[in-house]
Amino acid sequence: MISRHRAFLLAAGCVAILTSTSAGAQTTLSVPNTLTAAQANDQPKAEIAETAMNCAIRPSRVVEVASVVDGVLAEVFVRPGQRVEAGDLIARVDSDIARAELANAAVRAGATGALRSAQARATAAGAQLSVQRKGYQRKVVSRADFERARGEFAVAKEEVTAQQEAIGVAEADQSRMEVILSKAEIRAPFGGIIGEDLMDPSEATSGRAIAQLIVTDPMRVEVFAPIGEAEKIRDGRDYVVIAGGSDPVMLRPVLDYISPVAESASQTIRVYYHLETDMVSPGFRCQLVPRGQADAFLGDQDGRTN
């Protein structure tokens, strides 16, 4: 009797365990179903993250503006961070010595007295040679006197040539000093922003850049694109740039060119875009996103469009 009771209890216990296990299995199965639903909701974000490519916004050019004239800076007319346009005056080299040399060259170029004297001597020597030639032909002038007259005329003509050349040299010096004076004023070759590397007045210009000019119109976007994405870009797929940190904006870049050489280590290709905007600055990190996915990507980040 006792054995039967124990067997019954054992059977009942097994049934209870099985029932409890079955209930537990149902509870456990409900968790993966919930996680799968959440993952399904996040799947578009994952796809966007996979197609977004990191990029960097850079100036299109950074130019070191130098002076072709060696000297000392007399004045600097700009400051770091200032925007300048093509032709704006940046600095001026002390040109007092150049002005003095220009005045000297102008005086020498205009000094024609020596030339007129040489021309007068040449005219007189020519007349004397004509007389001596006629006398020599009539046998009343010796050959030696005739040759002397001819030599004096040749020397007089050379003196005229020398004076003309001297005036020509003076005129060339005058032109050269005028160019130097014009170059003493350093102007912006194109529009941009003055960088931090800016010389101060009284500093020597020899071998140094006077100012750094950062060109931001347009800016340049550099992308390291996976080879597959680079092929899509080459085939004309439309991409936008998302930039701006906590307040992102969507920008429309213009494709510049795709590097013909891939990076073997990373299996990426450099792609370059032009970007014209005042909503971001060089140095911003960004992401290049397919145009069709950009709205969802931007919506996730509560950004703005441009």
Side-chain angles (χ1 to χ4, degrees), residues 119-131:
Q119 289 172 336
R121 288 194 296 271
T123 300
Q128 182 63 24
L129 175 60
S130 179
V131 171

PDB file of all heavy atoms in Angstrom, residues 119-131:
ATOM      1  N   GLN A 119      75.384 113.469 -80.198  1.00  0.00           N
ATOM      2  CA  GLN A 119      74.819 113.615 -81.538  1.00  0.00           C
ATOM      3  C   GLN A 119      75.417 114.824 -82.277  1.00  0.00           C
ATOM      4  O   GLN A 119      75.670 114.754 -83.481  1.00  0.00           O
ATOM      5  CB  GLN A 119      73.295 113.756 -81.432  1.00  0.00           C
ATOM      6  CG  GLN A 119      72.578 112.462 -81.032  1.00  0.00           C
ATOM      7  CD  GLN A 119      71.104 112.671 -80.744  1.00  0.00           C
ATOM      8  OE1 GLN A 119      70.690 113.794 -80.399  1.00  0.00           O
ATOM      9  NE2 GLN A 119      70.323 111.597 -80.894  1.00  0.00           N
ATOM     10  N   ALA A 120      75.656 115.902 -81.541  1.00  0.00           N
ATOM     11  CA  ALA A 120      76.276 117.087 -82.160  1.00  0.00           C
ATOM     12  C   ALA A 120      77.690 116.785 -82.618  1.00  0.00           C
ATOM     13  O   ALA A 120      78.118 117.182 -83.729  1.00  0.00           O
ATOM     14  CB  ALA A 120      76.265 118.251 -81.174  1.00  0.00           C
ATOM     15  N   ARG A 121      78.450 116.080 -81.790  1.00  0.00           N
ATOM     16  CA  ARG A 121      79.819 115.708 -82.171  1.00  0.00           C
ATOM     17  C   ARG A 121      79.795 114.791 -83.386  1.00  0.00           C
ATOM     18  O   ARG A 121      80.652 114.877 -84.272  1.00  0.00           O
ATOM     19  CB  ARG A 121      80.533 115.046 -80.993  1.00  0.00           C
ATOM     20  CG  ARG A 121      80.904 116.020 -79.871  1.00  0.00           C
ATOM     21  CD  ARG A 121      81.897 115.383 -78.903  1.00  0.00           C
ATOM     22  NE  ARG A 121      81.297 114.251 -78.217  1.00  0.00           N
ATOM     23  CZ  ARG A 121      80.631 114.371 -77.062  1.00  0.00           C
ATOM     24  NH1 ARG A 121      80.471 115.583 -76.517  1.00  0.00           N
ATOM     25  NH2 ARG A 121      80.132 113.327 -76.468  1.00  0.00           N
ATOM     26  N   ALA A 122      78.848 113.883 -83.415  1.00  0.00           N
ATOM     27  CA  ALA A 122      78.759 112.983 -84.556  1.00  0.00           C
ATOM     28  C   ALA A 122      78.410 113.756 -85.829  1.00  0.00           C
ATOM     29  O   ALA A 122      78.943 113.453 -86.918  1.00  0.00           O
ATOM     30  CB  ALA A 122      77.715 111.910 -84.279  1.00  0.00           C
ATOM     31  N   THR A 123      77.545 114.743 -85.723  1.00  0.00           N
ATOM     32  CA  THR A 123      77.188 115.552 -86.896  1.00  0.00           C
ATOM     33  C   THR A 123      78.412 116.322 -87.416  1.00  0.00           C
ATOM     34  O   THR A 123      78.678 116.361 -88.638  1.00  0.00           O
ATOM     35  CB  THR A 123      76.068 116.537 -86.535  1.00  0.00           C
ATOM     36  OG1 THR A 123      74.910 115.795 -86.100  1.00  0.00           O
ATOM     37  CG2 THR A 123      75.699 117.399 -87.733  1.00  0.00           C
ATOM     38  N   ALA A 124      79.167 116.914 -86.458  1.00  0.00           N
ATOM     39  CA  ALA A 124      80.372 117.661 -86.854  1.00  0.00           C
ATOM     40  C   ALA A 124      81.406 116.725 -87.454  1.00  0.00           C
ATOM     41  O   ALA A 124      82.065 117.056 -88.474  1.00  0.00           O
ATOM     42  CB  ALA A 124      80.949 118.383 -85.647  1.00  0.00           C
ATOM     43  N   ALA A 125      81.579 115.560 -86.863  1.00  0.00           N
ATOM     44  CA  ALA A 125      82.551 114.597 -87.377  1.00  0.00           C
ATOM     45  C   ALA A 125      82.135 114.113 -88.759  1.00  0.00           C
ATOM     46  O   ALA A 125      82.980 113.886 -89.636  1.00  0.00           O
ATOM     47  CB  ALA A 125      82.686 113.421 -86.416  1.00  0.00           C
ATOM     48  N   GLY A 126      80.851 113.976 -88.981  1.00  0.00           N
ATOM     49  CA  GLY A 126      80.376 113.564 -90.286  1.00  0.00           C
ATOM     50  C   GLY A 126      80.629 114.615 -91.345  1.00  0.00           C
ATOM     51  O   GLY A 126      81.015 114.282 -92.487  1.00  0.00           O
ATOM     52  N   ALA A 127      80.422 115.874 -90.974  1.00  0.00           N
ATOM     53  CA  ALA A 127      80.702 116.960 -91.923  1.00  0.00           C
ATOM     54  C   ALA A 127      82.185 117.046 -92.236  1.00  0.00           C
ATOM     55  O   ALA A 127      82.592 117.244 -93.405  1.00  0.00           O
ATOM     56  CB  ALA A 127      80.197 118.278 -91.345  1.00  0.00           C
ATOM     57  N   GLN A 128      83.015 116.866 -91.206  1.00  0.00           N
ATOM     58  CA  GLN A 128      84.463 116.916 -91.412  1.00  0.00           C
ATOM     59  C   GLN A 128      84.913 115.756 -92.301  1.00  0.00           C
ATOM     60  O   GLN A 128      85.778 115.932 -93.182  1.00  0.00           O
ATOM     61  CB  GLN A 128      85.184 116.852 -90.062  1.00  0.00           C
ATOM     62  CG  GLN A 128      86.693 116.937 -90.137  1.00  0.00           C
ATOM     63  CD  GLN A 128      87.177 118.266 -90.707  1.00  0.00           C
ATOM     64  OE1 GLN A 128      86.494 119.285 -90.660  1.00  0.00           O
ATOM     65  NE2 GLN A 128      88.367 118.253 -91.289  1.00  0.00           N
ATOM     66  N   LEU A 129      84.322 114.598 -92.103  1.00  0.00           N
ATOM     67  CA  LEU A 129      84.678 113.456 -92.930  1.00  0.00           C
ATOM     68  C   LEU A 129      84.310 113.722 -94.384  1.00  0.00           C
ATOM     69  O   LEU A 129      85.064 113.358 -95.310  1.00  0.00           O
ATOM     70  CB  LEU A 129      83.966 112.195 -92.424  1.00  0.00           C
ATOM     71  CG  LEU A 129      84.148 110.929 -93.269  1.00  0.00           C
ATOM     72  CD1 LEU A 129      85.643 110.546 -93.348  1.00  0.00           C
ATOM     73  CD2 LEU A 129      83.329 109.773 -92.715  1.00  0.00           C
ATOM     74  N   SER A 130      83.180 114.368 -94.627  1.00  0.00           N
ATOM     75  CA  SER A 130      82.765 114.678 -96.001  1.00  0.00           C
ATOM     76  C   SER A 130      83.768 115.607 -96.677  1.00  0.00           C
ATOM     77  O   SER A 130      84.145 115.407 -97.853  1.00  0.00           O
ATOM     78  CB  SER A 130      81.374 115.322 -95.989  1.00  0.00           C
ATOM     79  OG  SER A 130      80.973 115.647 -97.304  1.00  0.00           O
ATOM     80  N   VAL A 131      84.256 116.605 -95.951  1.00  0.00           N
ATOM     81  CA  VAL A 131      85.257 117.534 -96.504  1.00  0.00           C
ATOM     82  C   VAL A 131      86.550 116.804 -96.799  1.00  0.00           C
ATOM     83  O   VAL A 131      87.175 116.968 -97.874  1.00  0.00           O
ATOM     84  CB  VAL A 131      85.484 118.702 -95.534  1.00  0.00           C
ATOM     85  CG1 VAL A 131      86.683 119.552 -96.005  1.00  0.00           C
ATOM     86  CG2 VAL A 131      84.228 119.551 -95.422  1.00  0.00           C
TER      87      VAL A 131
END
